[in-house]
Amino acid sequence: MVDFRDELQACVPALRRYARALTRNIDHADDLVQDCLERAMSRRLLFRPRGPLRPWLFTILTNLHRNTLRNRRRHGEMVDIDTLPDLAVPAPQPGHLALAELARAIETLPLEQKEALLLVTLEGLPYADAAAILGIPTGTLMSRLGRARSTLRALTGTPAEPHLRTVK
Amino acid sequence: MSAPDRDLLMAYVDGQLDAGARAALEADPVAMAEIAALQRQSDAIRTLYAPAGAEPVPVRLDPHRLAAHQARRTRAALGRAAMFVAVLGLGIAAGWWLRPASHAPELYDRLIANAVSAHTVYVAENRHAVEVAGDDSAHLSSWLSNRLATTLAMPDLSADGFTFLGGRLLPAPEIAGGRAAQLMYEDGSGARLTLYITPSSGIDGPSYEAVDFGLDTALYWADDTFTCTLVGPQPVDRLEALLTTIAAQLSPGSPGSPYRAL
């Protein structure tokens, strides 16, 4: 039988990735992951669903992040844009998208669209799983996803019809 | 492009389509161009954030370590809770132990205070220190016995160096009979002792109490018949010895020395 903590450990890299994309701050992200792990450990006897661990952890982390934002808004905490770590801008990547520009564009998305986008594109979760994590119907997930993608495309100036690619 | 088409293209990019649906799209170059753009966007997003998932994980995010921490915290919290309960319990116990006596002084306390007041007033008198002189001991004994509705012997302290001066009747409105007796003794140096006596029926309280009144000490003692309060300027152990002698003589029927030094 696999130890619960080993199972958790296997999920940590993905959680960090998702948290980093949500917060764009390494410390905030790791704080979120730590909170998430602690919560999972303290609640697993009561709340752990029978299914796989990963979607449950993503659900916890998503909710923790929303709570953090809500509290921050309530307490009026200012986040100095200069304290956000610079995103390294590597060499141009596929599609010649300027990554920094894309990162900034993602920041402008409403949180609910950002969550949907990251769960599906970054984490590669099936629609059904992502919708369950966010507690929404699959149709809603897809519409958030569609709006997020259109916005990003508009903001990053990628034309609607890039160079055609032939697929055999 | 209509909305359902957009969803279909997205589903292709996100790997949500079965083989048949994929093949249908792949036959359409316009759709594939759109799909390629979406794919580039997804790739870019992964390029941006995937490295975070490949970084070495800090030790603070090790679930084994967190579990150990949590267990320690739980133990510490339990310890604190236990400590809290213990301290609270001690506080309650101490509070109960040290609780102030009820605001109205106990009856025996008032008798002690009466004894001390009477002592202070009458030892200062020379000619009228007593109402009936000690040389008429038999008369004094029967008179006070009648008034106190009990049998009261006049204790003889001559073996201890005290002369019996006599006694008087005092009002004691606190107690059932309403009367108390005071006997007075004097030693060779002129230092005086008084003994304040009441019947003990209806008086609750300890059987022994010593109270320091500064110049004088009051020793209170009670048995089934009497309460006695011996008041004088003598050292407390001297008074205790005298009270033992007195108690033995006051209640000849009662066994031995009922008074034990604490």
Side-chain angles (χ1 to χ4, degrees):
Chain A
M1 190 175 142
V2 187
D3 182 64
F4 176 70
R5 286 165 293 187
D6 291 335
E7 281 186 84
L8 279 183
Q9 195 162 28
C11 297
V12 169
L15 290 172
R16 293 187 79 209
R17 181 172 59 209
Y18 177 52
R20 190 83 63 89
L22 279 178
T23 63
R24 296 192 62 209
N25 179 302
I26 184 166
D27 293 325
H28 291 173
D30 284 350
D31 287 348
L32 265 184
V33 174
Q34 185 175 340
D35 285 353
C36 173
L37 294 172
E38 283 173 348
R39 193 156 298 204
M41 284 189 289
S42 63
R43 294 195 173 175
R44 71 169 165 136
L45 295 177
L46 288 175
F47 298 112
R48 187 186 170 182
R50 246 182 244 127
L53 195 55
R54 217 163 92 103
W56 182 55
L57 293 175
F58 276 109
T59 309
I60 295 177
L61 198 140
T62 300
N63 291 332
L64 283 171
H65 178 243
R66 288 177 181 175
N67 292 344
T68 309
L69 289 188
R70 206 174 300 135
N71 290 341
R72 198 174 292 168
R73 214 171 296 137
R74 191 177 302 143
H75 297 136
E77 182 187 318
M78 301 293 286
V79 178
D80 185 353
I81 199 77
D82 292 334
T83 65
L84 293 175
D86 284 338
L87 278 173
V89 184
Q93 292 294 311
H96 305 285
L97 281 173
L99 289 178
E101 197 184 354
L102 175 66
R104 272 193 295 276
I106 291 174
E107 285 313 294
T108 67
L109 293 176
L111 179 62
E112 54 180 32
Q113 290 182 27
K114 190 170 153 187
E115 289 166 349
L117 181 74
L118 292 174
L119 287 175
V120 171
T121 60
L122 183 61
E123 301 303 328
L125 289 168
Y127 288 169
D129 284 4
I133 287 168
L134 298 177
I136 52 176
T138 310
T140 309
L141 176 88
M142 292 185 70
S143 102
R144 287 181 188 176
L145 209 48
R147 273 179 284 146
R149 281 170 160 153
S150 314
T151 307
L152 291 188
R153 204 189 272 187
L155 289 177
T156 54
T158 313
E161 29 66 71
H163 18 275
L164 291 176
R165 199 171 68 171
T166 46
V167 178
K168 288 286 167 205
Chain B
M1 194 175 290
S2 62
D5 287 337
R6 182 195 68 179
D7 283 358
L8 203 58
L9 298 176
M10 272 197 334
Y12 182 98
V13 172
D14 295 327
Q16 303 290 302
L17 294 183
D18 59 28
R22 280 205 306 275
L25 281 175
E26 281 161 8
D28 175 356
V30 178
M32 287 318 286
E34 190 63 23
I35 282 168
L38 285 170
Q39 254 161 356
R40 280 196 301 276
Q41 195 185 63
S42 291
D43 287 346
I45 291 169
R46 279 192 286 273
T47 307
L48 260 182
Y49 296 120
E55 290 172 11
V57 175
V59 284
R60 74 168 168 129
L61 300 184
D62 177 357
H64 299 89
R65 195 166 167 274
L66 283 173
H69 262 287
Q70 238 172 18
R72 248 200 314 282
R73 270 204 306 272
T74 306
R75 275 198 301 277
L78 282 176
R80 274 197 304 278
M83 180 77 80
F84 175 76
V85 169
V87 168
L88 185 67
L90 274 178
I92 290 171
W96 177 254
W97 180 252
L98 298 173
R99 70 194 187 280
S102 58
H103 290 298
E106 300 274 349
L107 185 50
Y108 80 92
D109 269 337
R110 283 186 280 161
L111 293 182
I112 295 172
N114 288 354
V116 174
S117 304
H119 173 86
T120 310
V121 169
Y122 293 114
V123 295
E125 291 290 327
N126 284 323
R127 289 185 59 192
H128 305 293
V130 295
E131 200 171 358
V132 175
D135 48 15
D136 197 356
S137 183
H139 166 64
L140 191 54
S141 178
S142 63
W143 173 53
L144 290 176
S145 293
N146 284 339
R147 292 295 177 270
L148 268 56
T150 182
T151 306
L152 186 60
M154 297 295 104
D156 177 10
L157 299 180
S158 56
D160 300 286
F162 283 88
T163 310
F164 183 44
L165 294 183
R168 64 171 66 244
L169 191 65
L170 292 171
E174 297 89 345
I175 61 174
R179 296 179 181 88
Q182 185 194 47
L183 306 182
M184 193 180 295
Y185 299 84
E186 188 177 66
D187 71 5
S189 69
R192 286 173 171 179
L193 270 181
T194 63
L195 183 62
Y196 181 90
I197 303 165
T198 72
S200 65
S201 65
I203 301 166
D204 289 331
S207 57
Y208 173 75
E209 181 111 331
V211 187
D212 183 1
F213 284 91
L215 291 177
D216 294 314
T217 303
L219 287 191
Y220 169 88
W221 167 77
D223 72 358
D224 293 339
T225 316
F226 299 111
T227 80
C228 296
T229 307
L230 183 63
V231 187
Q234 287 78 9
V236 66
D237 49 349
R238 176 90 169 116
L239 291 177
E240 283 174 351
L242 290 167
L243 189 57
T244 305
T245 310
I246 290 164
Q249 296 184 48
L250 261 186
S251 306
S254 68
S257 160
Y259 164 67
R260 284 191 315 277
L262 294 181

